[in-house]
Amino acid sequence: MPSNQTPNYGLSQWSKSDRIQMEDFNADNAKIDAALAAQASTLSAHAAQLAKLGNCQVWTTTYKGTGTVGPDHPTSLTFPKRPVFAMIDSGSGKPSFLLPQSGSLYNAGSDDMNRLTWNGATASWYLVTTGTPFAAYQLNARDVVYYVTALLAAD
């Protein structure tokens, strides 16, 4: 058995006075093989995850508002799959943002809140207000075309 070992893997460090034995070499080779296999597995897993980063699909669509508003008349939109982020704009220059992870719909045109729910890849929202309910604040003004841009995860 050698008198010294490496700090990371405990591999044999030989001195001139050490008696060299085949078992010590075999044990070192087994440690090296196990470390390389673990590293290869980790690198493979990281490469698979890294391939997903920055890869997204941009999906666009439009819908025409119906003019209805409130909890009995939610606005709904079905995506190919649940987006990471979506922006809805009527051309007003004040887009609204759908944030699926937070479950919120931020409407830049209003201080009123929209309640957002998901059923699979379909988002539904309705205006919650104590004042006069305006369909525009629910992103559903009659005959207005809304432009939707969504980022979908590529995986």
Side-chain angles (χ1 to χ4, degrees):
M1 182 72 141
S3 55
N4 293 316
Q5 294 184 330
T6 61
N8 295 316
Y9 294 102
L11 301 175
S12 301
Q13 290 290 118
W14 303 96
S15 299
K16 284 186 181 187
S17 62
D18 291 332
R19 185 168 181 247
I20 298 173
Q21 294 191 354
M22 180 179 62
E23 292 83 10
D24 294 329
F25 281 104
N26 289 344
D28 284 350
N29 286 338
K31 290 176 186 176
I32 292 169
D33 187 65
L36 288 173
Q39 183 183 36
S41 176
T42 299
L43 286 174
S44 179
H46 287 173
Q49 291 300 316
L50 192 56
K52 297 177 184 178
L53 295 179
N55 292 330
C56 65
Q57 298 170 329
V58 177
W59 180 80
T60 61
T61 192
T62 61
Y63 70 90
K64 189 181 242 185
T66 64
T68 59
V69 65
D72 294 333
H73 304 285
T75 305
S76 293
L77 183 61
T78 300
F79 297 84
K81 60 182 171 180
R82 193 165 169 167
V84 176
F85 170 84
M87 180 176 73
I88 304 171
D89 190 7
S90 66
S92 67
K94 296 179 182 177
S96 297
F97 302 99
L98 220 114
L99 307 170
Q101 278 65 25
S102 68
S104 62
L105 173 67
Y106 172 71
N107 187 347
S110 166
D111 290 332
D112 289 315
M113 181 182 85
N114 278 283
R115 180 154 297 135
L116 173 68
T117 58
W118 286 91
N119 183 6
T122 300
S124 296
W125 62 90
Y126 63 88
L127 184 65
V128 178
T129 182
T130 55
T132 304
F134 293 108
Y137 293 164
Q138 187 174 301
L139 308 176
N140 200 30
R142 180 177 300 283
D143 296 328
V144 171
V145 175
Y146 291 89
Y147 301 89
V148 181
T149 303
L151 298 180
L152 309 174
D155 57 347

